[in-house]
Every structure is written in C-alpha cells, then in structure tokens.
Amino acid sequence: MPLIKEFIAEHETVTNAAGDALRAPDAGDLSVARALVSDMTAVLRAHWKGEEDGLFPASLTALTGDEWDVSIQAWRTAHPGAVLHPAG
C-alpha cells in the first residue's frame, strides 16, 4: 500500500532527524539542531494533514465498528493521557 509506505517513511525521517537534532548540541551545532527541528516540523505538518485528509476518512469507510473500536483503543494505548477531540 503506497500510502502506508509513505507514512512509515515519514515516521522514519522524523525519527532519524530527531536523533540527529538531539546529538547536534553536544557537537556544538545549535544551528544544525534548529534546522533539523524546522525540517521535522514541515514533515510532520504534511504527515498530519495526510492522515487527517486521507487515512482517517478512509478508515471510517473501510473499518467495521469493532475494527474502529480496536483502532481507537490502540491509539489510546499509544497516547496515554491524550484526549480525542470530536470532529466538528
């Protein structure tokens, strides 16, 4: 599934950049850290938009009620303490 592969690649890009951004100050490269955080922000904004406009609406039409419940429970497990906000 190309869309899922793209989302996974974006996760990997951000994870790798985050690691580099964490190491950059130790090497005295604050400008590199800032640039990496800026790059991560751009990738994440596009990623979230893709999820909100593509993946999540597609899930609503593709998943059964029970599958949706399992997905929401997995989200809650992955995001302890986070709040899901109703659409609208």
Side-chain angles (χ1 to χ4, degrees):
M1 297 184 79
L3 180 62
I4 300 300
K5 287 181 182 180
E6 184 178 322
F7 285 145
I8 290 169
E10 290 167 352
H11 279 245
E12 290 172 352
T13 296
V14 170
T15 298
N16 292 337
D20 292 342
L22 286 171
R23 289 183 289 278
D26 293 337
D29 292 329
L30 292 179
S31 62
V32 169
R34 283 187 201 97
L36 288 165
V37 169
S38 179
D39 292 346
M40 289 185 314
T41 301
V43 170
L44 287 171
R45 280 192 179 125
H47 179 83
W48 293 328
K49 181 152 181 51
E51 288 178 336
E52 291 171 358
D53 295 344
L55 184 61
F56 296 148
S59 296
L60 288 172
T61 62
L63 299 178
T64 66
D66 289 341
E67 290 169 332
W68 183 256
D69 290 343
V70 169
S71 295
I72 293 299
Q73 186 54 51
W75 185 91
R76 290 183 194 282
T77 299
H79 303 89
V83 177
L84 281 172
H85 300 283

